[in-house]
Amino acid sequence: MKTRQLAVLSGKGGTGKTSLVASLAALAGRAVVVDCDVDAANLALLMPGSDGPTESFYAGRRARILEERCAACGRCTEVCRFGALTFQGSRLVVDRLACEGCGACAHACPNAAVAYDDNLAGDWWVRPVAEGLLVHARLGIAQDNSGKLVASLRKTGRELAERDGYELVLVDGPPGIGCPVHAALSGVDALLVVTEPTVAAEHDLRRIVGLAARFEVPTGVVINKHDLVPGACERLERSCAELKVPILGRIPFDPLVPERASRGRPALAASAGTAEALADVWSRAQEKLLSGEPNGSNPHLTGA
Amino acid sequence: MKIAVASGKGGTGKTLIATHLAWALARAGEPVTYVDADVEAPNGHLFLRPEIAEERPVSVAVPAMVRPTCAGCGDCARACAFHAMLAAKDRVIVLPELCHSCGLCLEICPERVLEERPRRLGVVCEGRAGPIRFLSGVLDVGEARATPLISALASSLSAEGTTIIDAPPGTSCPAMEAVRAADLVVLVTEPTPFGLHDFELAVQMCRALGKRAYAVLNRVGLGQTPMDEAFARHGTPLVASIGFDAAISAASAEGRMADESSETLKKGLLELLLRLGEDWQSLSPAVNP
């Protein structure tokens, strides 16, 4: 039994990643779904079910001044590169939003007056859903450990899939091309990039396709709202050809998608044309991206 | 006065609001700086079409061995909180993508074999879009750390005139770094369950940073999720509403400003400007924490 991992990313936010993932899960019928957009996790809104127990995710640490030992010499403030230590009058205080827990202050302190507390970076849950399991999280506000939390969720998703015999892990990724996106992309078998015919989405498509090439992940493109602006799609299609990424489907603009979402239903439950287009995306993704051996040795594509 | 345009959710219209707000202020004779702080997916230039006069590379300091061998004691690897150093028998291997540039390893090494070298993360572009001073950070594809680029942008800002910061989505460090630089935050959201959920997270981020926030509701009519209760509960007044408009979609598709063609955008911008104008006096940077 082989488990395959398919990531959905976009570069630009708001192109429809989460709606697509919820629909693909329904079309696949059986999957472990991992919401890796940990600072704005929305998949749980489309995949009803009861969460299992809340699990805490600890990552990193934060400095704390032991006042009884602190001589207020200020050496820590000189070595801290994050501006996390400041004097309030003659007291030293730690800005816990700025502290990265590096340990430089403790090393510099002549009085051993710095202690460290483990940092609660977020919470995560496993939710049984109609299609299988949803692994999702909430990163603590203003936390800096999104990449680590994504890596941890991915690991949990993979282990659950292997334990329970799931053949598919779907990864709903964050926007952008930085740290948490690297964690969402690392080691997946294939990538679907959701884009739309706007100059901004096209610009960011180029960046995410460039990143996928570095990770050597076979990539396909889904064009969402392809018909929203007449004629706008052609330029995007030329860009895909130039980037050598296949277009695996075109989804129409459908005002019923947000309407269904507000009732907790995926895009698949919107208009018939939308459902048909999504089914088409899923069958082409299976054929073009998921038919090879797991982990990158796909016979159809050699990466973007 | 520095205004960050932010949102929890991506794609709600931050760049639409930020670019048009910059233009509207510039047209009124205000000295304006527009800053694209969404360095992973910077799009403001596609609409403002600036002439870039200068590109400044942004680097972080990463340790490197300055001698071919060391005693291999491994003290640096044990001290590194980010697991960015691997100790071998007679040398250390630095994993630059994990390094946070804290400098502790240089202090720890008994033989002083480490020195810092710059590692490029991206560029800060500076130029002008007509009357607007334009700044944009662009993360190199393949680099993971967006926040130092945003810090570099923040340090290029002047206190004069009005600065509009187009923030990245989310509520973690990149978004926080952009919002931290502002005196006031405009949160753009949409009437969908995703918009509502992520708006509430963004409000919490503003609160954690001690920043006052206003709400702008975009794409009214596309999605029916009631938002008023959340705006009231969080003390985030709704200062402007913009309807879903095919004219805005068309301008987004082509990379044009949309305020000439979209009445609802024009009206929403005016509402936002009026509210900002009312608060102008009471919101001088000096009163902020």
Side-chain angles (χ1 to χ4, degrees):
Chain A
M1 221 289 304
K2 286 161 184 167
T3 302
R4 284 182 179 76
Q5 300 186 71
L6 175 65
V8 177
L9 292 167
S10 65
K12 179 170 165 21
T15 58
K17 288 182 293 299
T18 299
S19 296
L20 179 65
V21 168
S23 297
L24 292 181
L27 287 160
R30 196 164 184 277
V32 173
V33 187
V34 187
D35 191 343
C36 292
D37 189 2
V38 293
D39 46 318
N42 289 331
L43 202 48
L45 299 170
L46 293 184
M47 303 190 79
S50 298
D51 285 327
T54 301
E55 310 274 357
S56 297
F57 178 73
Y58 284 90
R61 54 185 187 169
R62 295 289 180 262
R64 176 163 47 89
I65 303 294
L66 302 172
E67 296 203 8
E68 67 280 10
R69 292 194 185 170
C70 177
C73 67
R75 250 174 256 177
C76 54
T77 64
E78 290 158 25
V79 297
C80 178
R81 293 188 176 180
F82 308 107
L85 288 148
T86 46
F87 278 104
Q88 265 181 15
S90 60
R91 270 182 72 226
L92 272 161
V93 290
V94 179
D95 177 350
R96 290 171 77 92
L97 296 183
C99 175
E100 301 204 11
C102 68
C105 53
H107 182 70
C109 179
N111 302 313
V114 183
Y116 288 93
D117 299 321
D118 285 341
N119 174 49
L120 178 63
D123 294 321
W124 62 276
W125 302 267
V126 177
R127 171 185 290 193
V129 292
E131 298 83 0
L133 298 169
L134 169 66
V135 184
H136 65 121
R138 176 184 276 204
L139 186 72
I141 296 295
Q143 279 288 335
D144 61 353
N145 289 294
S146 54
K148 282 185 192 160
L149 180 52
V150 168
S152 165
L153 296 179
R154 291 270 319 277
K155 182 166 176 281
T156 300
R158 207 166 54 239
E159 286 169 359
L160 289 171
E162 277 161 17
R163 186 195 72 185
D164 296 347
Y166 286 89
E167 288 181 23
L168 179 68
V169 175
L170 277 170
V171 174
D172 185 10
I177 59 163
C179 175
V181 174
H182 292 213
L185 194 51
S186 163
V188 297
D189 295 285
L191 168 67
L192 273 180
V193 178
V194 191
T195 188
E196 58 188 23
T198 64
V199 286
E202 182 186 338
H203 176 264
D204 301 340
L205 166 75
R206 290 175 178 273
R207 289 165 68 78
I208 191 70
V209 167
L211 186 68
R214 283 164 181 258
F215 279 78
E216 299 184 354
V217 175
T219 301
V221 170
V222 176
I223 303 178
N224 195 11
K225 305 179 196 168
H226 77 93
D227 55 351
L228 179 56
V229 178
C233 213
E234 285 160 28
R235 190 182 130 154
L236 181 58
E237 288 171 2
R238 279 198 301 276
S239 289
C240 290
E242 186 194 315
L243 291 166
K244 298 189 171 62
V245 283
I247 297 168
L248 300 185
R250 291 168 182 77
I251 301 167
F253 171 67
D254 181 356
L256 279 180
V257 172
E259 195 274 330
R260 292 292 187 267
S262 62
R263 294 197 266 137
R265 306 281 293 131
L268 202 60
S271 306
T274 302
E276 215 169 278
L278 287 163
D280 201 38
V281 167
W282 175 234
S283 77
R284 287 212 217 169
Q286 283 177 290
E287 176 199 340
K288 298 280 187 192
L289 294 176
L290 296 172
S291 59
E293 291 297 303
N295 280 322
S297 53
N298 188 296
H300 298 286
L301 293 162
T302 53
Chain B
M1 167 85 147
K2 300 187 183 73
I3 302 166
V5 181
S7 74
K9 179 170 161 36
T12 56
K14 286 181 295 301
T15 298
L16 178 80
I17 300 299
T19 53
H20 284 87
L21 184 58
W23 254 118
L25 288 164
R27 216 175 274 140
E30 173 75 5
V32 177
T33 303
Y34 166 90
V35 186
D36 198 339
D38 189 358
V39 303
E40 297 179 48
N43 297 135
H45 66 284
L46 298 168
F47 300 94
L48 291 174
R49 304 191 183 188
E51 279 185 33
I52 299 299
E54 196 191 350
E55 283 192 6
R56 300 189 288 274
V58 176
S59 301
V60 287
V62 171
M65 278 181 69
V66 290
R67 280 192 246 137
T69 61
C70 70
C73 68
D75 284 356
C76 57
R78 278 186 293 278
C80 179
F82 313 107
H83 311 291
M85 311 200 78
L86 301 173
K89 196 165 78 238
D90 59 351
R91 64 201 162 87
V92 289
I93 297 156
V94 180
L95 305 173
E97 60 277 9
L98 296 179
C99 176
H100 285 223
S101 309
C102 71
L104 179 59
C105 52
L106 282 75
E107 296 298 321
I108 293 278
C109 176
E111 296 182 276
R112 305 267 156 185
V113 302
L114 294 167
E115 272 182 25
E116 290 184 309
R117 297 275 185 268
R119 175 185 170 89
R120 185 184 139 128
L121 296 180
V123 291
V124 165
C125 303
E126 173 151 17
R128 293 201 76 80
I132 301 169
R133 180 186 176 216
F134 177 95
L135 281 166
S136 172
V138 184
L139 184 70
D140 287 345
V141 173
E143 288 300 326
R145 294 176 64 195
T147 311
L149 258 176
I150 300 170
S151 309
L153 283 171
S155 65
S156 314
L157 302 182
S158 74
E160 279 168 50
T162 300
T163 298
I164 309 294
I165 303 168
D166 195 348
T171 57
S172 60
C173 27
M176 202 172 76
E177 192 69 14
V179 167
R180 197 192 284 274
D183 306 307
L184 171 70
V185 188
V186 171
L187 293 174
V188 186
T189 185
E190 60 181 33
T192 65
F194 303 161
L196 173 63
H197 178 260
D198 299 347
F199 167 77
E200 303 211 48
L201 297 174
V203 168
Q204 290 175 46
M205 174 183 69
C206 294
R207 198 173 294 145
L209 290 168
K211 303 294 180 185
R212 181 170 175 181
Y214 286 151
V216 168
L217 194 59
N218 190 20
R219 297 200 192 101
V220 174
L222 195 65
Q224 280 78 39
T225 303
M227 306 290 284
D228 290 344
E229 189 273 326
F231 296 148
R233 180 158 38 87
H234 293 293
T236 313
L238 175 68
V239 298
S241 295
I242 298 160
F244 176 72
D245 185 353
I248 299 176
S249 304
S252 302
E254 293 161 22
R256 283 190 283 109
M257 301 297 279
D259 54 342
E260 292 300 313
S261 53
S262 169
E263 288 304 319
T264 182
L265 177 62
K266 217 183 283 181
K267 183 178 140 292
L269 280 168
L270 192 60
E271 291 167 351
L272 177 58
L273 280 168
L274 286 173
R275 184 54 182 250
L276 292 173
E278 275 174 31
D279 287 336
W280 224 248
Q281 297 304 321
S282 61
L283 283 166
S284 73
V287 301
N288 256 279

